[in-house]
Amino acid sequence: MEVIIQDSYEEISRQAARIVARTLYSKPNAVLGLATGSTPLGLYKELIRMHKEEALDFSRVTTFNLDEYVGLRKQHTQSYHYFMHENLFKHVNISQQNIYIPSGTTNNYQAFCAWYEQQIEKCGGIDLQILGIGSDGHVAFNEPGSSLGSRTRIKTLTKQTIEDNARFFDSADEVPVYSITMGVGTILEARQIILLANGANKAKAVAGAIEGPVTSMCTASALQMHRDTLFLLDQEAAGDLKMTEYYQWIQSKMPDSP
Ligand code: PGA
């Protein structure tokens, strides 16, 4: 587990984009796990810039999104299908048939979830997974109490998440109560993970994830069990960490490391 603390949101976004680009340079047909929400917007903006100015190529890339609201059609402006199209896919040369996003409108969720898991496996697993973190410590929509071995399934959102996400809707009443989400177990199988967090409202969740016990009460803490996870944080999101000095010491010593 690596913890990098930067001065600004822009810097963590750029650093994450450099890692994604490095993955695509070394494996042009890489499988990326993608997240929605405010957090990865800076990363997607930088990837679009790299595509336009530096010819970063998405033509052979496959993507799997973490989650979707149940009940929202793809065209709904708050659906994660719409979000991904608007904020990344329509700006890069990704092939439509290589894009996987959980369906919020299937008539058989159980079968869809099993199919989604199978597709990830069929594509060879996720090479690099991008994550945000909820203020309640969730990754994807794996709310507190989610099994740390969970797979793609329907999950009921917490009131906290509904309140957090109400800013994107006209009112909290309009936020769907159910989501379809990759499980914690699914996420942990990604070969490499980057969790991005910015802002003081994430500080408690970030501290729980990195320095707290591994617990389903903060599903991001399961990343402590993963062998290649990077936490990219701005100063505010890192505000409740106790070992900050050590994380910075590690970074300063990295160039000389044997
Ligand atoms: P945010 O959401 O990026 O909009 O803060 C993160 C999350 O809920 O995982």
Side-chain angles (χ1 to χ4, degrees):
M1 212 165 69
E2 194 178 358
V3 180
I4 295 182
I5 303 163
Q6 300 284 11
D7 286 337
S8 69
Y9 171 68
E10 288 68 31
E11 192 43 49
I12 61 171
S13 300
R14 277 195 296 270
Q15 191 160 355
R18 282 196 294 272
I19 298 170
V20 173
R22 222 165 43 220
T23 303
L24 301 196
Y25 291 138
S26 65
K27 187 177 179 187
N29 63 343
V31 179
L32 301 178
L34 298 179
T36 50
S38 317
T39 310
L41 282 173
L43 159 64
Y44 296 154
K45 223 169 121 193
E46 180 63 6
L47 289 176
I48 293 165
R49 188 199 65 74
M50 288 170 131
H51 169 66
K52 292 197 189 325
E53 294 174 15
E54 296 165 18
L56 183 63
D57 182 19
F58 289 82
S59 62
R60 295 173 61 201
V61 170
T62 299
T63 61
F64 284 90
N65 262 82
L66 288 167
D67 45 18
E68 177 59 286
Y69 288 116
V70 165
L72 297 195
R73 292 184 317 119
K74 286 181 185 176
Q75 300 77 4
H76 191 290
T77 54
Q78 293 313 323
S79 78
Y80 289 162
H81 279 79
Y82 187 87
F83 176 101
M84 288 309 301
H85 185 70
E86 288 301 306
N87 293 299
L88 181 62
F89 296 148
K90 79 173 186 190
H91 306 283
V92 297
N93 63 334
I94 189 160
S95 170
Q96 286 302 312
Q97 78 255 23
N98 290 350
I99 295 171
Y100 295 83
I101 304 178
S103 168
T105 53
T106 174
N107 51 23
N108 186 340
Y109 280 96
Q110 216 176 345
F112 183 89
C113 291
W115 176 85
Y116 202 70
E117 291 273 339
Q118 279 162 12
Q119 296 315 301
I120 296 174
E121 212 180 309
K122 224 164 117 184
C123 292
I126 292 170
D127 292 301
L128 174 61
Q129 176 68 57
I130 304 298
L131 295 175
I133 185 170
S135 64
D136 63 1
H138 70 208
V139 280
F141 274 134
N142 293 289
E143 300 287 35
S146 294
S147 158
L148 301 186
S150 52
R151 313 300 306 190
T152 304
R153 71 209 183 291
I154 296 275
K155 189 73 205 165
T156 311
L157 303 188
T158 58
K159 287 189 177 155
Q160 170 83 62
T161 298
I162 289 173
E163 271 167 37
D164 286 350
N165 292 2
R167 68 189 193 279
F168 300 114
F169 292 80
D170 288 337
S171 75
D173 295 340
E174 284 183 26
V175 183
V177 171
Y178 303 104
S179 65
I180 174 168
T181 180
M182 270 190 212
V184 181
T186 320
I187 292 168
L188 289 177
E189 282 172 12
R191 285 183 267 284
Q192 187 184 359
I193 297 176
I194 304 174
L195 185 147
L196 295 155
N198 65 293
N201 65 323
K202 299 295 173 68
K204 193 165 158 272
V206 164
I210 298 173
E211 296 177 345
V214 174
T215 168
S216 64
M217 289 297 113
C218 171
T219 54
S221 67
L223 298 172
Q224 292 175 31
M225 311 282 287
H226 188 268
R227 62 181 173 187
D228 191 357
T229 289
L230 166 64
F231 286 85
L232 266 175
L233 313 171
D234 75 352
Q235 299 282 353
E236 287 77 25
D240 282 2
L241 290 172
K242 292 193 176 68
M243 302 282 286
T244 301
E245 224 174 281
Y246 179 54
Y247 307 135
Q248 285 166 341
W249 168 255
I250 292 172
Q251 290 308 312
S252 73
K253 294 292 162 200
M254 203 75 100
D256 302 324
S257 129

